[in-house]
Amino acid sequence: MRHSLPLAPQFYVTAPQPCPYLDGRSERKLFTALQGEGAEKLNNALSRQGFRRSQNVLYRPSCADCMACLSARIRVADFVPTKSQRRVLKRNTDLRRTATSPWATEEQFALFRRYLDTRHADGGMADMDIFEFAAMIEETPVKSRVIEYRESAETPGSMRALIATCLTDVLDDGLSMVYSFYEPERIKDSLGTYLILDHVEIARRVGLPYVYLGYWVPGSRKMGYKANFSALEIYKGGNWIDIGDPASHETETHPLSVDPIAEQVARIQLPDTRGS
């Protein structure tokens, strides 16, 4: 008997887990599978509605009593770096960028482990092994790239140390920074900020209007840095709006701001995948 995929994606909700961003709260995710010939269109459409990709799944926070996680993106045409961000660019002029297909290497995993052990030893990915790492990088049904940053070589053709890596999806309207990690010993170089700045430059060069940064969480020190970028938009109330004053969004942690799951799903706009 032949089984076919449903015409419309099916949405599910995860069980509550401790929130990694706000103490004393729990998180829950709304998600759907990313598969089949329409995966590219679905990824593009749902990314514009606040979803993120993790391997072959698209998800969006859908917590029972909080809506603090707000998808964020930079308008490339309007972005202007601050003085401190210009200093970050200057400090990292020794790095050289290369973009490759999504293929995991032992060198990437070694850097990934140093990064986690130093920066996120108590995080949800702390126990990830090389096979899980390879799945994170390689299991993608959409157009993805691994962007590596290395020290510039002293002699032509020689290979220098891997300093940073970013798994990046290429959307029809921008670049989505799925996950990045970098050399934890280069603290003063602000490599996390540098990767975002360089992705803005990549998007500018290829004519893509946005760089998607994942979620910004008001009140979270871990995610607060995203508000430091100019021309930042957040997805709120079904629309992309300028972030304005970051403090004005702190009421999103109030339970009355949350709509029922059924209403959230009903408002999702799905692409026409016929003929994909």
Side-chain angles (χ1 to χ4, degrees):
M1 180 181 294
R2 180 179 179 182
H3 296 274
S4 59
L5 295 173
L7 294 178
Q10 305 299 300
F11 289 87
Y12 307 91
V13 180
T14 63
Q17 300 287 335
C19 178
Y21 305 122
L22 298 174
D23 292 337
R25 294 184 177 270
S26 60
E27 70 166 357
R28 190 176 64 176
K29 292 184 175 70
L30 178 69
F31 70 97
T32 188
L34 186 62
Q35 57 189 341
E37 295 179 354
E40 203 82 50
K41 287 185 177 180
L42 186 62
N43 191 39
N44 286 324
L46 266 60
S47 293
R48 288 193 291 270
Q49 297 173 70
F51 281 76
R52 295 282 289 166
R53 184 183 72 83
S54 177
Q55 294 173 238
N56 59 357
V57 169
L58 286 169
Y59 71 91
R60 188 173 72 185
S62 181
C63 304
D65 58 359
C66 179
M67 290 186 65
C69 293
L70 301 168
S71 189
R73 69 184 186 185
I74 294 172
R75 293 191 310 273
V76 172
D78 298 328
F79 175 76
V80 178
T82 63
K83 288 184 178 180
S84 63
Q85 289 168 351
R86 288 196 293 270
R87 289 194 293 268
V88 170
L89 289 169
K90 187 175 181 179
R91 285 199 299 269
N92 291 284
T93 54
D94 64 313
L95 298 183
R96 296 294 178 266
R97 176 206 326 129
T98 58
T100 67
S101 58
W103 187 257
T105 67
E106 292 184 1
E107 185 183 26
Q108 292 169 7
F109 181 68
L111 176 61
F112 174 74
R113 284 298 345 158
R114 292 197 302 275
Y115 172 77
L116 285 185
D117 293 343
T118 303
R119 301 290 297 270
H120 303 286
D122 58 347
M125 304 172 73
D127 297 328
M128 186 177 287
D129 61 27
I130 192 169
F131 301 105
E132 294 167 320
F133 173 77
M136 180 182 75
I137 298 293
E138 298 173 9
E139 290 184 8
T140 169
V142 298
K143 186 177 181 181
S144 303
R145 296 290 183 269
V146 171
I147 303 180
E148 295 184 339
Y149 297 82
R150 297 179 181 274
E151 295 175 330
S152 57
E154 295 178 353
T155 57
S158 63
M159 183 69 74
R160 296 301 297 273
L162 179 65
I163 301 300
T165 301
C166 187
L167 175 62
T168 303
D169 284 353
V170 183
L171 306 176
D172 59 2
D173 68 345
L175 300 177
S176 177
M177 300 178 69
V178 177
Y179 192 78
S180 60
F181 52 96
Y182 43 85
E183 181 56 64
E185 293 184 358
R186 292 181 56 151
I187 298 175
K188 295 181 180 180
D189 293 336
S190 303
L191 289 170
T193 295
Y194 173 73
L195 294 183
I196 294 174
L197 294 172
D198 192 60
H199 273 69
V200 171
E201 179 58 24
I202 296 171
R204 192 191 310 275
R205 289 185 181 184
V206 298
L208 292 172
Y210 302 108
V211 173
Y212 290 81
L213 303 182
Y215 296 107
W216 172 71
V217 185
S220 170
R221 188 176 64 177
K222 290 181 180 179
M223 309 298 280
Y225 70 92
K226 296 177 183 179
N228 296 329
F229 291 86
S230 67
L232 190 74
E233 297 181 344
I234 55 174
Y235 189 75
K236 186 175 180 180
N239 296 288
W240 288 98
I241 62 172
D242 192 272
I243 190 172
D245 179 8
S248 67
H249 303 287
E250 292 184 359
T251 57
E252 296 306 303
T253 59
H254 193 283
L256 293 181
S257 65
V258 182
D259 293 327
I261 289 289
E263 292 184 15
Q264 295 179 38
V265 173
R267 288 197 295 268
I268 296 173
Q269 299 179 19
L270 299 174
D272 184 357
T273 57
R274 291 172 297 180
S276 296

